Amino acid sequence: DRRNYFAFLMYLFLSAMFGIVFSNSLMWLFFFWEITTVCSFLLIGYRDDKASRDSAFKALNMNLVGGVVFAFGIIYLYATTHTLELDKLIRLDKGLVLLPAVCFAFAGLVKSAQFPFSSWLTDAMVAPTPVSTLLHSSTMVKAGVYLILRVAPVLHNTVADQMLTLIGGVSFLVTALIAISQSNAKKVLAYSTISNLGLIVACAGVNTDAAIWSALLLIIFHAVAKSLLFLCSGSVIYGCHHEQEMPKMGGLRKKMPITAYTMLIAVIAISGLAI
């Protein structure tokens, strides 16, 4: 029974997410950023079987690549401008801050599991459903798009803007098509998460006021609706004796009416019909 260990990691992760959101210093942001990476690694591997360990190390390795690029961006920024405040980037010479901003955006793409780094998120679905709910729908992956939106003003009217639009658009379309072809309940949610994050990244690449506001609203609505869907799917999987294949989950309205109607609300919300 490792529930105390599990709860400690979850609360540590939540604390690190607060640190990411409230940090203006890039050094502190990077510190909390890496805490989320370590917590994610430990939580994905929580069951301690081969599949969990392989998925955990895959997530760790990919996110460490993003972390190294993030660290390089911080070092380069300090060497050229002697500043580490995130809000000052837009007021500095664009020629000096463009490369660090691209590095931060790259780290954000890895963290939000955008193409070609999408596989770590889908493999992470071996983790317990509360981990998928918290880390991989509403918080950790959102840290990536949050950072991209923070540096988006620096990337305005650059090739990096166009690349963000392309990467986000490809991730959105391809993973949406993959999602509708899946039969595993948690993988459907994982691919649709990557798809929605791709739409947010594409909005950041378009980089107009309306697009940025749309991205912010998408972050909020997706976090709430997808968390609800993940929790409901965990309840259904548990109620169906740990069965994750959707064709074998028929008759949920009669077996689990409250969960079925709650899932319907979440589906409507994430479809945009509730807006």
Side-chain angles (χ1 to χ4, degrees), residues 148-203:
I148 290 172
L149 289 172
R150 288 296 302 269
V151 301
V154 181
L155 304 177
H156 190 60
N157 288 331
T158 64
V159 175
D161 250 0
Q162 299 170 13
M163 290 302 298
L164 282 177
T165 306
L166 177 63
I167 293 170
V170 169
S171 298
F172 168 68
L173 180 60
V174 172
T175 52
L177 293 174
I178 295 173
I180 61 175
S181 68
Q182 295 293 309
S183 61
N184 183 289
K186 288 182 71 174
K187 286 201 171 183
V188 170
L189 296 176
Y191 279 114
S192 67
T193 291
I194 300 170
S195 180
N196 280 273
L197 292 171
L199 186 57
I200 295 169
V201 171
C203 287

Side-chain angles (χ1 to χ4, degrees), residues 23 26 41 56 59 87 103-104 202 232 240:
S23 294
L26 283 164
F41 164 71
D87 64 338
C103 291
F104 302 150
C232 287
C240 294

Side-chain angles (χ1 to χ4, degrees), residues 58-137:
K58 187 172 188 178
L60 179 67
N61 291 335
M62 286 195 177
N63 280 286
L64 281 178
V65 172
V68 169
V69 176
F70 195 151
F72 172 79
I74 292 175
I75 294 169
Y76 183 88
L77 179 67
Y78 186 75
T80 54
T81 66
H82 299 288
T83 185
L84 290 174
E85 282 72 37
L86 191 57
D87 64 338
K88 291 182 180 178
L89 293 186
I90 190 65
R91 298 194 292 271
L92 296 172
D93 183 1
K94 197 169 187 176
L96 296 177
V97 299
L98 182 58
L99 179 59
V102 170
C103 291
F104 302 150
F106 177 85
L109 290 173
V110 177
K111 187 76 96 175
S112 56
Q114 294 300 286
F115 181 82
F117 305 103
S118 305
S119 60
W120 78 258
L121 181 60
T122 54
D123 289 352
M125 292 303 110
V126 298
T129 302
V131 176
S132 304
T133 303
L134 179 65
L135 274 68
H136 306 131
S137 66

Side-chain angles (χ1 to χ4, degrees), residues 149 152-153 156-157 161 165 202-215:
L149 289 172
H156 190 60
N157 288 331
D161 250 0
T165 306
C203 287
V206 173
N207 217 344
T208 62
D209 289 345
I212 296 298
W213 274 109
S214 298

Side-chain angles (χ1 to χ4, degrees), residues 2 18 21 29 31 38 43 49 84 92 119 129 151 172 178 183 190 196 208 215-216 219 229-230 243-244 252 259 271:
R2 298 194 297 160
F18 276 109
V21 173
L29 197 155
F31 172 73
V38 174
L43 285 166
D49 53 27
L84 290 174
L92 296 172
S119 60
T129 302
V151 301
F172 168 68
I178 295 173
S183 61
N196 280 273
T208 62
L216 291 172
I219 286 175
L229 281 171
F230 262 112
E243 179 59 63
Q244 295 194 26
L252 284 179
T259 304
S271 299

